[in-house]
Amino acid sequence: MTEQQDTALIVRPHEAEQVPLPHGGAFHLLADASSTGGALGANRLTLGEGASGARPHYHARSTELFYVLDGVMEFALDGRTETVAAGGLVCVPAGLAHSFGAAAGSTADLLAVLTPGIDRFAYFRSLGRIQHGLMPFDRLLPEQDRFDVHFL
C-alpha cells in the first residue's frame, strides 16, 4: 500500500491518457493507485455498439464500482445478467465473477473505480494492444496477480 496522499489529484479531460479500442471506444486512464496513495484506481470506458468491455474475471483484493454515464450496459454477475442504463450503478465485491459490455444495439460510457487501488494502467494498455491484434491474450495470464484481474 502506498502512503496516503496529502494533496488532491486533479485530472483534466485533456490530461487523461486514452487507449483506443477497435470498435471506436477507448479507455480513459484517470487515476492509478500510485497517484491516489493506494486508495483507488479509476478509468472511464467508452464502448462502441454492442462491444465487449471485459472477459469473465474477478478481483481477489478489490471491490469494483461501475457508474453508467451514458448508454446501456449488460453485466454478467456470478451467472446472472443485469441490464443497467445511464444513471445506474453496479458495485462488485472482491471475489465475485463478472464481465460486462455495451448492450446489443447500444453504445456505452462508464466510470469504473477499483478500491483499494491497484496500479493497472499497464493492464489497460495491454488490453488495447490485444483488441487491436498486436498482442496475444495469453501474455496477460502471468500478470493476473500483479493486476488483480483473475480470468475464469
Side-chain angles (χ1 to χ4, degrees):
M1 184 75 107
T2 311
E3 284 186 31
Q4 183 170 341
Q5 296 292 111
D6 59 0
T7 59
L9 171 67
I10 299 171
V11 180
R12 290 173 173 55
H14 67 278
E15 296 170 336
E17 178 184 343
Q18 290 191 35
V19 177
L21 298 172
H23 48 70
F27 289 108
H28 307 259
L29 307 181
L30 301 171
D32 227 353
S34 57
S35 63
T36 65
L40 59 90
N43 69 284
R44 179 177 168 193
L45 174 61
T46 53
L47 293 170
E49 192 172 303
S52 174
R55 295 175 184 227
H57 66 282
Y58 69 92
H59 306 287
R61 303 184 306 267
S62 298
T63 295
E64 192 165 26
L65 177 140
F66 300 96
Y67 181 76
V68 182
L69 298 164
D70 192 30
V72 181
M73 291 287 297
E74 283 190 353
F75 291 87
L77 303 164
D78 202 24
R80 75 179 200 279
T81 301
E82 297 287 341
T83 302
V84 181
L89 180 130
V90 175
C91 188
V92 181
L96 185 79
H98 60 287
S99 63
F100 52 88
S106 180
T107 60
D109 187 357
L110 77 153
L111 175 68
V113 177
L114 194 74
T115 183
I118 308 263
D119 278 327
R120 295 194 321 157
F121 281 7
Y123 168 75
F124 294 118
R125 292 178 192 117
S126 292
L127 285 179
R129 288 191 294 277
I130 289 166
Q131 288 208 10
H132 283 285
L134 302 173
M135 178 178 143
F137 174 76
D138 291 351
R139 291 226 351 239
L140 270 184
L141 297 179
E143 303 291 340
Q144 293 179 95
D145 287 332
R146 174 183 169 201
F147 296 127
D148 192 26
V149 177
H150 304 275
F151 299 103
L152 303 184

